[in-house]
Amino acid sequence: MPTSPASLILSLPDEEATLRLAKQLADCVCGKTEASGTPGGRIHLKGELGAGKTTLVRGLLRAAGVTGRIKSPTYTLLESYNISNLYFHHFDFYRFSDAHEWRDAGFAELFDEHAIVLIEWPEQAGTRLPLPDLDIQLAYAGTGRTARLVASSEKGQRWLTSLTPQRV
Ligand SMILES: Nc1ncnc2c1ncn2[C@@H]1O[C@H](COP(=O)(O)OP(=O)(O)OP(=O)(O)O)[C@@H](O)[C@H]1O
Ligand SMILES: [Mg+2]
């Protein structure tokens, strides 16, 4: 019986490759793959400016069925979407500095187990955030990118299993 992978490194040579990964992750968080379990979960996205965090989140939201404009929450900190019975919260904490803002905006209440929470620059939120199911580190690699995916929960591990190319 093979054990579930705790991490995975993927090469993303162009934007299309990032969008393919986004589609696979959308299926995971929406509970559409056999291994993914119930819908919901948290993904942290790390990496330098321009590494592709927003590109990945936009691709995921599109693949999940968001049809309108998908704005980067760089200035608003949060953009939320509702697709049938699923709630998506896209955070960007790059400009986060005010602890009161966290409390006053009621962010903690959005971390419901059924919600899908996607966070750019989680490092900037200090220790407020719960552990994600999956941590994705994007890095420049020539003209493309690499993605290092690390699972921090059983759910995240199941997602990685569905992303791992099947060997026969
Ligand atoms: N795999 C890839 N290979 C090459 N280019 C890519 C790839 N994925 C995304 N890009 C491009 O890189 C840029 C990434 O911009 P994006 O806004 O997604 O970065 P970001 O990590 O969210 O930056 P920020 O920290 O400023 O929010 C876009 O121009 C996108 O087209
Ligand atoms: Mg961004």
Side-chain angles (χ1 to χ4, degrees):
M1 184 82 180
T3 51
S4 300
S7 73
L8 183 64
I9 294 178
L10 299 173
S11 169
L12 306 172
D14 51 30
E15 187 172 335
E16 277 63 44
T18 299
L19 296 177
R20 277 195 297 277
L21 172 61
K23 160 78 175 119
Q24 290 180 303
L25 288 169
D27 288 346
C28 289
V29 298
C30 295
K32 284 189 184 156
T33 67
E34 216 174 294
S36 56
T38 53
R42 293 188 297 277
I43 300 179
H44 285 185
L45 296 117
K46 298 177 184 167
E48 294 174 48
L49 290 171
K53 302 178 293 295
T54 302
T55 304
L56 189 52
V57 174
R58 269 204 187 107
L60 189 160
L61 292 168
R62 276 280 175 255
V66 176
T67 51
R69 184 158 174 241
I70 300 176
K71 289 188 278 175
S72 172
T74 311
Y75 294 96
T76 52
L77 291 184
L78 170 67
E79 295 288 342
S80 293
Y81 307 86
N82 173 216
I83 296 291
S84 53
N85 59 344
L86 297 180
Y87 288 87
F88 295 80
H89 303 297
H90 177 194
F91 287 95
D92 183 339
F93 284 120
Y94 187 63
R95 290 167 193 279
F96 179 78
S97 55
D98 185 356
H100 296 297
E101 193 171 8
W102 173 272
R103 197 193 53 213
D104 297 347
F107 285 159
E109 289 150 36
L110 302 177
F111 287 75
D112 176 84
E113 65 170 307
H114 303 296
I116 293 151
V117 182
L118 310 159
I119 306 181
E120 296 184 50
W121 293 101
E123 310 89 318
Q124 299 288 103
T127 55
R128 287 173 190 83
L129 302 175
L131 265 186
D133 297 291
L134 195 64
D135 190 288
I136 303 181
Q137 177 91 47
L138 292 161
Y140 286 86
T143 56
R145 309 286 188 268
T146 56
R148 179 161 188 265
L149 295 80
V150 179
S152 303
S153 72
E154 249 181 64
K155 188 173 219 177
Q157 285 200 355
R158 286 200 301 272
W159 294 350
L160 285 190
T161 305
S162 70
L163 295 175
T164 309
Q166 299 298 310
R167 291 189 194 87
V168 274

